[in-house]
C-alpha cells in the first residue's frame, strides 16, 4: 500500500483518512506518523511544491505561461508573436546580429543582488524567464507619452537611418547605464559589440551614447543622466511614467521552487538544488537531454539547439552554482558564473600581484562573443562546447588550460571528482555536470601569462587561432625558463592543445638567447599541423599565426633583448576611443531646404514605434510559409518526400511548381528581364539554395521547422562551378550580355608606350545584410482573384508585374504597398519578387492570408550577392607618368542568370577620375552554379573603380612614382571626355584633390608614416589618397508623385514612388515641399508608396531616387501654386490655411501629380570627391586598424547635411566590410554557402570604423545641373572606402621592403586579416631579436 497526498494533507494507506502535518508545511524528506483513525503506523515522503508554469513580467505586465508553447520558443519569438513588443526585432535568431536586445533582471553573484542586464532575447528560452522582469523598447518611452533620454539622444544625434537596429541600440545603453551609471567613453565603446548596423557606419550611434559618459567632451553635448531619469519607464497599465509601485526588481528568482512542465514532445525542468539536479540526471541519463543556461551554443552548432532535445534542464535555479571564492592560493568559480561576472572579477582583482594575469584574461573575456551573450552565458557552457566539439576554438578553455585550472565535476550518482581540462576533453559528460573551476594564484611574481585571440573582425567574432602562454622566467638570468612552460593553442586541429615538444625544449633554457628562440620556433613549426577546415581559413595561415603569437609573447617578455624597432611586435594594436568631425555649410535663406534636420520619423524609430512589414499584426485566418531549398547545385531533382514534414503539428500544405495556376509562369521576373528565373525548381537544380517549394503552417516556427524536414534526393549530380576561374576554364559564359567598347586604338597606344603593365585583380561577393528579412504579407481580395501585398521591396511596380505573370491575372487586380524598409542596399530591387510571388501563390492556393518571412540562413543561401569580378588588364604608360591606353577584360560572376548584370553600364564609372585616350573594354558574363547575383550599393561603380585604382597603383609601382603624384598627373581636366563619351563641363577634381592634400596635411603625414615604418619592424602604417568621379544619370527615370492639400486645415500629404529605406528621402521631400509652398514642415506627411498613387514608378536605387522624386515634388508644388495663384491674388495676405480653404471653395483642384521623365543636360551630372586614409597593420598577425580618414565630398548644396553625412559615413563603412571583413565561401562539392550565418559572415562592427573620421563637404559648390543644386550621396562613399585597402597595401609594401620583396603584388578584395598577413610573406627566419 502506498501513502497518497491530497493537497496539503497526507492520506493513511489503510483507511484513507486525511491528516494535516502538525508542524505546517513540510520540506523535502521522509516522515512518519500514526493514523488517528485506525492506528496504522506509516511513512511518507514529502517532495515540496512543484510548479508547472512560469511567471515573469514584461514592461510591468505579468505573464504566466503553462505548457502551451514549444520548449525552443525564445523570448523574442514570444514578445513578437503575442504582439507584446514589435519594437524588439528578430533576424538571425542565433545571437549574432543583435537586433533583439532587451533587458532583464538576473541574479548577480558579485553583489548578491538582482541586476539589470542587456540580453539577446532570441537566445533566451521562454521557459527560463521564470521570475524575470523584462523591459523592451516600448517600456522605456515613446513620442506620445514621453521619450526616454536615451531614445531622444539617439534621435537627436541622427543615430538612426532605416531604424531597424535602433531599439536594440537604445536597450544596450539602457542596460549599461542600469549597471554602470557613470560609464567612461571607453566602456561605452566596449559595450557596443552586440548589434550590427548596416546603415549609419556607427559613428553617430557611438557619439550619442558616449554623450552619456562621465568623460564626454563638450563636442558631445547632452550629459549624464541621473537614476530618476534613467528609470522613467512607461507603465503598460496607465500609459504614464512608471512609479515603480506595480512590481519590484527584487522579484527575479522568487523562492527556491523547482519547476516541471510537460510540453508537447519534451519536458522542462528547473531544479533548485544540486541533489535535485543529480536525481534528474539519473532519471534521464538514457534520454536525449540538455542542460540549459546561456543557450548560445546553437549559434555555432545547430545540432545543440533546444528544439533537438526532449528533456531540458534549466540550471538557473540552483543558487549554489553562483558561488565565487578568492583566497591566497586559488580562485573558484561556480558553473553559473557568466562571462560578464567572470570579467568583472578579473578586472577587480587584476591589481593583486598573485593574480596579475587577470588583467590579460579580462581583456580576453571582453572579446568573447558580445555583450548580450556574455551577460547570458557561463564559462562552463563555453567549456561544454569544447567537450562536444574538440575543434571549437574555446577562449575559456585556452585561458584556463594555460594556467593549469582544475575542474570539479559531479555525477548523477552523487560522486564528485576533480579533473584536469585535458582529462575533461575526453570525458563523457552524460549524467555529469561541471560544479566549479579552480584557478591558481602565482605569488612568486615571476610567472608571466599572456593569451591571444586573432579574429576576422575586432568584435563579436570567433578566432582563427587562440593561444595562451605561461612561463616562469628568471629575468636576471637571460630569461631562463625555470619550470615547464605552458603553450596552449586552439584552432590548430581537433587534438592539439599543448605544443608539448616545444614546452619540453624550453624548460631550463635561456629564452633571451637568440639560438634558443630559433630552435623553439623550429620545434613549434614541426609540431603545429593544422587541420583543413572547409575553406574558412587556410592551414598555412593558422600555422604561421600560431608561431607568430609565440614570437609576440617572447618579444613582450624579453623586449630588452630585441632591437628597438622589433619591440613593437610584442604589443597589440592600441585602439583609442573613436571620434568624428563633420564640416559643411548651409543656406539659411533657403531653410528648411539645406537645413541640417533630424528626420521626422527619428524618434519613432528610436522608440520602436515605426512599423515594418514584419510588425504588421497577423489577421484572423493568417498562416505562415517557409521555403524548401535545394542542398546541391548542378543536379536534377529525383524525389521530394514531404511525408515527415506534413506530419509535423501545425503544417497545412506543401506548395510547388505544380500549384502555379493554368497560364501562370514559373518565373518571378518581369517580361523585360534577359531570362527566366524559376519561382520553384521544375527539375533542373541550378544552385544550392534554389527554392523547390513552400511549406505552409499555422506559425513561422512550425513552417521553418517542417521545411527543414522535407527530404529531397537528386540525380545526375555534377560538380558545381563556383569560381570565376573555373567558369572561364569551362567556357561557362552567357553570350550577348554586354558589348565590347573601344575608344581609340588601345593596342597601338600600349605598343607605343614606354612601359606595358599587365596584371590581374579579383573582388568577391558581398552580402547585402539588410537587417529586415525578405518578407511579404499577402491578403486575398474579396473577388477570390486579386491579391493585396505588403512587401519589403525597392520596386513595387516590378513586384506587381511579376505576381501578375505567376498568377495569370491582371496587374489591376494586384495592389502593392510599402511604407519603409529596414535597409536594402539593392537586395530588394528584383530579389523581393521571389518572396512576393511565392507568398501570392500561397495566398491563391490557400485562399487565406499568408506571411512569408525568409529566415536568415535561407536568405544567405538563396539570394544572390554583389557581383564578383576577375579583371585582366594591360596598361600602356609613358615614363613621364601619362596614361596612353588600357585594355580591360572584366569577367563578372552572374550566378545562374545575367538578369541583373551591370556589365553594359560599367563604362560610366570605370575610368574613375582619370583621362586615358584609348580604351578596349571587353565585358564577359560568367555563368556559375550560384544564386543570381544582383545589385548591391554601387553595383557597377564599386568594383570597376577599384579595378581602375588597382591599375593606377600597379602602374605607379612599375614607374617607381609616388602613387598620389601619378594619379594627379592623370586627373581629368575640365572639358575632357570620359570613356563613355561624357564631356566634363564642370570638372573640379584637381581642385578637390588639392584641397584635401591641404586640409588633411597629406605631405607631412606621409613623412610621419615613413618615419614610423623606419622605426618599427612589426607594425607598419600606410597612407593612400584616392580621387573619385561618380556619374549620376537619371534620364527618362519615371516616378509618380502624388500630393494633396487638405482644405480643412491646409495640411499636406504626399506619396512618392521612391521608398524610404534609411536614406532619408521622406525627410528631404518634406523639406522641399515646405520650401516650395512656404509652409511649416510639421504640416506635411509622407504616405506609403502604393501601386495606385505611385503606379509605374522606377526602382529606388542607383542614387537617383531622391533627385527624381524631388523633381516630382517641385513640379507638384508648382502646379498647386499656379492653380491657387489667382485666388491668392484676390485675397489680402491670407494665411496658408485660409488660402487652402478659399481655393477649395472656389473649385480649385488641391491635388497634383507628376510623372517624371527628365531629359537633356539637366538629367545627369558628376560627383567629385577625394579620400585620404591612414592605417596601421600588425605584420605578425594581419590585424589592422584605420587610424584616420579625411573625406572631402562635393555634395552640391546638400538638401539636408545631417542626412547626407549619414549616407557618407554609412556607405564608407559598408565599403570597409567589402574590402576587409566580409567574405562568402562556398562548399566546392555542393556550392552551398558555408558563410550563411553570423558565426562566419562578418559585416563591420563599431571598432572596425575609422578611429578619427573626418567628413567635409566642398563649400560654395552648388550643382549647376540636377535638382535644387544638390548632389546624391548614397553610393559614391562605398567606392571611396577602397582607399583603406590601398593604404593597407602600402603598409604591406613597407613590410615586404624589409625582406627585399619591394615589387608589385596583387591584393584582392576582401583583404582579410588572413590575406594581409599572408601578403607580408612572413617565415620563421624573420622572427629574431634583431640588431
Amino acid at each position: 500500500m502506498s501513502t497518497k497526498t491530497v493537497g496539503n494533507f497526507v492520506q493513511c494507506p489503510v483507511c484513507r483518512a486525511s491528516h494535516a502535518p502538525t508542524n505546517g508545511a513540510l520540506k523535502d524528506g521522509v516522515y512518519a506518523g500514526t493514523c488517528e483513525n485506525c492506528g496504522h503506523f506509516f511513512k511518507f515522503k514529502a517532495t515540496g511544491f512543484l510548479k508547472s508554469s512560469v511567471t515573469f513580467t514584461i514592461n510591468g505586465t505579468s505573464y504566466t505561461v503553462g505548457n502551451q508553447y514549444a520548449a525552443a520558443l525564445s523570448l523574442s519569438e514570444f514578445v513578437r508573436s503575442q504582439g507584446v513588443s514589435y519594437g524588439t526585432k528578430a533576424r538571425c535568431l542565433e545571437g549574432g546580429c543583435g537586433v533583439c536586445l532587451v533587458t532583464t533582471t538576473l541574479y548577480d553573484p558579485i553583489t548578491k543582488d538582482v541586476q539589470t542586464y542587456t540580453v539577446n532575447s532570441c537566445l533566451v528560452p521562454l521557459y527560463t524567464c521564470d521570475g524575470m522582469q523584462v523591459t523592451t523598447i516600448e517600456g522605456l518611452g515613446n513620442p506620445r507619452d514621453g521619450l526616454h533620454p536615451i531614445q531622444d539622444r539617439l534621435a537627436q544625434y541622427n543615430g538612426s537611418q532605416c531604424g531597424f537596429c535602433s531599439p536594440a541600440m537604445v536597450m544596450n545603453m539602457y542596460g549599461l547605464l542600469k549597471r554602470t551609471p557613470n560609464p567612461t567613453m571607453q566602456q561605452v565603446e566596449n559595450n557596443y559589440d552586440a548589434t550590427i548596423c548596416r546603415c549609419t557606419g556607427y559613428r553617430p550611434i557611438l557619439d550619442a551614447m558616449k554623450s552619456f559618459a562621465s568623460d564626454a567632451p563638450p563636442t558631445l553635448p547632452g550629459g549624464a543622466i541621473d537614476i530618476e531619469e534613467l528609470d522613467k519607464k512607461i507603465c503598460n497599465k496607465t500609459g504614464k511614467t512608471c512609479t515603480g509601485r506595480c512590481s519590484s526588481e527584487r522579484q527575479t528568482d522568487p523562492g527556491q521552487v523547482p519547476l516541471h512542465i510537460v510540453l508537447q514532445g519534451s519536458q522542462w525542468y528547473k531544479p533548485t538544488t544540486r541533489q535535485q539536479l543529480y536525481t534528474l540526471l539519473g532519471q534521464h541519463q538514457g534520454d536525449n537531454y540538455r542542460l540549459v543556461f546561456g543557450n548560445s551554443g546553437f549559434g555555432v552548432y545547430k545540432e545543440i539547439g533546444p528544439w533537438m532535445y526532449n528533456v531540458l534542464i534549466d540550471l538557473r535555479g540552483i543558487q549554489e552554482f553562483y558561488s565565487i571564492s578568492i583566497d591566497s592560493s586559488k580562485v573558484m568559480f561556480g558553473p553559473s558564473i557568466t562571462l560578464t561576472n567572470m570579467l568583472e572579477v578579473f578586472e577587480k582583482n587584476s591589481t593583486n600581484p598573485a593574480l596579475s594575469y587577470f588583467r590579460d584574461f579580462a581583456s580576453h573575456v571582453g572579446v568573447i562573443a558580445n555583450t548580450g551573450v556574455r551577460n547570458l552565458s557561463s564559462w562552463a557552457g563555453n567549456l561544454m562546447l569544447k567537450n562536444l566539439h574538440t575543434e571549437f576554438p574555446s577562449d575559456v578553455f585556452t585561458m584556463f588550460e594555460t594556467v593549469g585550472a582544475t575542474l570539479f565535476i559531479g555525477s548523477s550518482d552523487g560522486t564528485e571528482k576533480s579533473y584536469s581540462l585535458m582529462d575533461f576533453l575526453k570525458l563523457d559528460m552524460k549524467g555529469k555536470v561541471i560544479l566549479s573551476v579552480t584557478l591558481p594564484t602565482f605569488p612568486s611574481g615571476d610567472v608571466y601569462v599572456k593569451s591571444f585571440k586573432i579574429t576576422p573582425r575586432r568584435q563579436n567574432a570567433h578566432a582563427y587561432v587562440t593561444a595562451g602562454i605561461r612561463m616562469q622566467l628568471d629575468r636576471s638570468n637571460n630569461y631562463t625558463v625555470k619550470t615547464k612552460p605552458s603553450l596552449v593553442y586552439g584552432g590548430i586541429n581537433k587534438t592539439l592543445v599543448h605544443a608539448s615538444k616545444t614546452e619540453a625544449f624550453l624548460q631550463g633554457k635561456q629564452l633571451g638567447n637568440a639560438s634558443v628562440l630559433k630552435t623553439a620556433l623550429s620545434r613549434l613549426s614541426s609540431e603545429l599541423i593544422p587541420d583543413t577546415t572547409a575553406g574558412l581559413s587556410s592551414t598555412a595561415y593558422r600555422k604561421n599565426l600560431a608561431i607568430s603569437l609565440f614570437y609576440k609573447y617572447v618579444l613582450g617578455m624579453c623586449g630588452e633583448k630585441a632591437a628597438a624597432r622589433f619591440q613593437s611586435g610584442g604589443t597589440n594594436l592600441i585602439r583609442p576611443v573613436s571620434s568624428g568631425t563633420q564640416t559643411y555649410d548651409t543656406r539659411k535663406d533657403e531653410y528648411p531646404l539645406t537645413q541640417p534636420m533630424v528626420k521626422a520619423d527619428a524618434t519613432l524609430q528610436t522608440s520602436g514605434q515605426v512599423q515594418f512589414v514584419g510588425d504588421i499584426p497577423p489577421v484572423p485566418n493568417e498562416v505562415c510559409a517557409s521555403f524548401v531549398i535545394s542542398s546541391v547545385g548542378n543536379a536534377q531533382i529525383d524525389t521530394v518526400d514531404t511525408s515527415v514534414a506534413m506530419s509535423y503539428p501545425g503544417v497545412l500544405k506543401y506548395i510547388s511548381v505544380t500549384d502555379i495556376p493554368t497560364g501562370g509562369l514559373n518565373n518571378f521576373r518581369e517580361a523585360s528581364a534577359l531570362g527566366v528565373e524559376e519561382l520553384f525548381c521544375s527539375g533542373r537544380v541550378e544552385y544550392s539554395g534554389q527554392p523547390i517549394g513552400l511549406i505552409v503552417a499555422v506559425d513561422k516556427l512550425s513552417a521553418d521547422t517542417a521545411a527543414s524536414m522535407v527530404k529531397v534526393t537528386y540525380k545526375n549530380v555534377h560538380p558545381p562551378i563556383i569560381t570565376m576561374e573555373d567558369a572561364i576554364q569551362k567556357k561557362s559564359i552567357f553570350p550577348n550580355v554586354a558589348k565590347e567598347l573601344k575608344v581609340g586604338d588601345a593596342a597601338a597606344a600600349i605598343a607605343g608606350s614606354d612601359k606595358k603593365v599587365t596584371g590581374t585583380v579579383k573582388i568577391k561577393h558581398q552580402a547585402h545584410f539588410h537587417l529586415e528579412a525578405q518578407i511579404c504579407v499577402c491578403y486575398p481580395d474579396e473577388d477570390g482573384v486579386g491579391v493585396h501585398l505588403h512587401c519589403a521591396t525597392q520596386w513595387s511596380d516590378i513586384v506587381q508585374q511579376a505576381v501578375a505573370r505567376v498568377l495569370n491575372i491582371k496587374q489591376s487586380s494586384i495592389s502593392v504597398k510599402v511604407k519603409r524598409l529596414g535597409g536594402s542596399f539593392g537586395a530588394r530591387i528584383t530579389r523581393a519578387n521571389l518572396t512576393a510571388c511565392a507568398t501570392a501563390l500561397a495566398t491563391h492556393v490557400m485562399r487565406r492570408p499568408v506571411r512569408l518571412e525568409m529566415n536568415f540562413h535561407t536568405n544567405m543561401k538563396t539570394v544572390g550577392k554583389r557581383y564578383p569580378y576577375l579583371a585582366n588588364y594591360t596598361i600602356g604608360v609613358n615614363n613621364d607618368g601619362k596614361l596612353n591606353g588600357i585594355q580591360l577584360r572584366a569577367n563578372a560572376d552572374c550566378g545562374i542568370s545575367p538578369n541583373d548584370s551591370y556589365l553594359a553600364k560599367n563604362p560610366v564609372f570605370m575610368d574613375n577620375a582619370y583621362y586615358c585616350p584609348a580604351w578596349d573594354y571587353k565585358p564577359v558574363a560568367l555563368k556559375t552554379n550560384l544564386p543570381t547575383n544582383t545589385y548591391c550599393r554601387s553595383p557597377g561603380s564599386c568594383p570597376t573603380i577599384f579595378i581602375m585604382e588597382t591599375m593606377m597603383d600597379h602602374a605607379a609601382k612599375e614607374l617607381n612614382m609616388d602613387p598620389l603624384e601619378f594619379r594627379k598627373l592623370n586627373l581629368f581636366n575640365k572639358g575632357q571626355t570620359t570613356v563613355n563619351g561624357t564631356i566634363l563641363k564642370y570638372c573640379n577634381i584637381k581642385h578637390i584633390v588639392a584641397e584635401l592634400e591641404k586640409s588633411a596635411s597629406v605631405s607631412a603625414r606621409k613623412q610621419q608614416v615613413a618615419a614610423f615604418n623606419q622605426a618599427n619592424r612589426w607594425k607598419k602604417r600606410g597612407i593612400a589618397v584616392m580621387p573619385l568621379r561618380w556619374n549620376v544619370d537619371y534620364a527618362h527615370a519615371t516616378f509618380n508623385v502624388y500630393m494633396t492639400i487638405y482644405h480643412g486645415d491646409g495640411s499636406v500629404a504626399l506619396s512618392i514612388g521612391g521608398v524610404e529605406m534609411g536614406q532619408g528621402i521622406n525627410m528631404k521631400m518634406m523639406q522641399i515641399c515646405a520650401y516650395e509652398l512656404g509652409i511649416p514642415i510639421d504640416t506635411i506627411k509622407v504616405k506609403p508608396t502604393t501601386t495606385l498613387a505611385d503606379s509605374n514608378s522606377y526602382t529606388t536605387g542607383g542614387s537617383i531616387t531622391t533627385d527624381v522624386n524631388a523633381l516630382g515634388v517641385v513640379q507638384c508644388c508648382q502646379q498647386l501654386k499656379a492653380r491657387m495663384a489667382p485666388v491668392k491674388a484676390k485675397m489680402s495676405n491670407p494665411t496658408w490655411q485660409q488660402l487652402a480653404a478659399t481655393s477649395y471653395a472656389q473649385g480649385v483642384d488641391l491635388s497634383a501629380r507628376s510623372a517624371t521623365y527628365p531629359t537633356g543636360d539637366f538629367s545627369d551630372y558628376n560627383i567629385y570627391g577625394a579620400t585620404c586614409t591612414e592605417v596601421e597593420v600588425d605584420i605578425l598577425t594581419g590585424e589592422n586598424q584605420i587610424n584616420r580618414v579625411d573625406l572631402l565630398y562635393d555634395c552640391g548644396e546638400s538638401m539636408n547635411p545631417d542626412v547626407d553625412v549619414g549616407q557618407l559615413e554609412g556607405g564608407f563603412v559598408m565599403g570597409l566590410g567589402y574590402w576587409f571583413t566580409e567574405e562568402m565561401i562556398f562548399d566546392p562539392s555542393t556550392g552551398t554557402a558555408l558563410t550563411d550565418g553570423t558565426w562566419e559572415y562578418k559585416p563591420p562592427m563599431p571598432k572596425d570604423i575609422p578611429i578619427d573620421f573626418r567628413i567635409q563637404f566642398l563649400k560654395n559648390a552648388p550643382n549647376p545641373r540636377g535638382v535644387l543644386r544638390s548632389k546624391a550621396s548614397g553610393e559614391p562613399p562605398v567606392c571611396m572606402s577602397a582607399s583603406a585597402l590601398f593604404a593597407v597595401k602600402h603598409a604591406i609594401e613597407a613590410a615586404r621592403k624589409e625582406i627585399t620583396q619591394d615589387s608589385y603584388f596583387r591584393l584582392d578584395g576582401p583583404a582579410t586579416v588572413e590575406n594581409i598577413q599572408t601578403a607580408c610573406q612572413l617565415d620563421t627566419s624573420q622572427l629574431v631579436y634583431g640588431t
Side-chain angles (χ1 to χ4, degrees), residues 223-242:
I225 56 175
D226 57 32
I227 192 67
E228 287 78 13
E229 289 180 286
L230 180 63
D231 282 327
K232 280 184 178 178
K233 296 190 288 189
I234 298 300
C235 177
N236 259 5
K237 296 178 182 177
T238 66
K240 306 295 183 182
T241 301
C242 180

Side-chain angles (χ1 to χ4, degrees), residues 1064-1132:
I1065 188 172
N1066 286 357
M1067 188 64 208
K1068 287 184 176 180
M1069 297 309 105
M1070 293 168 64
Q1071 289 175 271
I1072 293 165
C1073 183
Y1075 169 71
E1076 289 288 333
L1077 297 180
I1079 61 176
I1081 201 167
D1082 61 5
T1083 64
I1084 303 164
K1085 288 287 185 182
V1086 180
K1087 301 296 185 179
T1089 299
T1090 69
T1091 46
L1092 177 61
D1094 312 297
S1095 58
N1096 306 318
S1097 288
Y1098 190 54
T1099 184
T1100 299
S1103 293
I1104 68 170
T1105 314
T1106 297
D1107 282 354
V1108 185
N1109 281 272
L1111 174 64
V1113 170
V1114 170
Q1115 291 174 346
C1116 286
C1117 290
Q1118 290 172 344
Q1119 292 175 38
L1120 292 169
K1121 286 192 293 184
R1123 292 177 201 163
M1124 298 167 77
V1127 177
K1128 185 176 182 180
K1130 296 176 184 178
M1131 300 176 71
S1132 176

Side-chain angles (χ1 to χ4, degrees), residues 774-901:
Q774 295 276 9
I775 185 172
C776 182
V777 181
C778 185
Y779 309 110
D781 200 1
E782 60 188 5
D783 63 6
V785 176
V787 288
H788 303 279
L789 298 97
H790 289 276
C791 183
T793 177
Q794 295 173 246
W795 198 351
S796 56
D797 176 61
I798 204 175
V799 165
Q800 186 184 40
Q801 292 180 55
V803 170
R805 283 157 57 85
V806 169
L807 297 185
N808 192 25
I809 61 178
K810 299 297 183 184
Q811 285 183 236
S812 58
S813 294
I814 301 163
S815 64
V816 182
K817 183 177 182 180
V818 54
K819 191 170 187 178
R820 61 174 58 85
L821 301 178
S824 204
F825 317 109
R828 294 188 274 205
I829 292 177
T830 63
R831 301 301 97 188
N833 292 11
L834 172 62
T835 311
C837 290
T839 312
L841 177 60
T843 298
H844 170 83
V845 171
M846 302 298 295
R847 303 186 182 187
R848 59 198 290 188
V850 177
R851 182 180 302 245
L852 200 170
E853 181 177 353
M854 195 183 288
N855 74 59
F856 183 78
H857 294 276
T858 299
N859 198 145
M860 290 292 283
K861 292 175 180 176
T862 300
V863 178
K865 316 295 186 292
R866 184 189 293 279
Y867 265 67
Y869 278 80
L870 178 63
N872 310 111
Y873 57 82
T874 301
I875 312 163
V877 61
N878 285 341
N879 289 331
D880 64 1
K882 284 288 186 178
L883 292 171
N884 292 327
I886 294 175
Q887 293 174 324
L888 174 63
R889 176 187 167 109
N891 303 283
D893 180 353
C894 300
I896 63 159
S897 170
N899 276 343
D900 292 351
S901 167

Side-chain angles (χ1 to χ4, degrees), residues 386 390-391 425 492-497 531:
K386 183 72 172 178
T390 55
E391 77 280 5
L425 283 186
I492 300 299
N493 60 49
K494 291 184 178 182
T495 59
L496 184 136
V497 175
D531 282 345

Side-chain angles (χ1 to χ4, degrees), residues 739-758:
K739 296 179 181 179
E740 183 177 358
L741 174 67
K742 289 189 175 185
V743 176
D745 188 340
I750 292 169
S753 298
D754 294 333
K755 279 195 181 293
K756 175 181 174 181
V757 180
T758 300

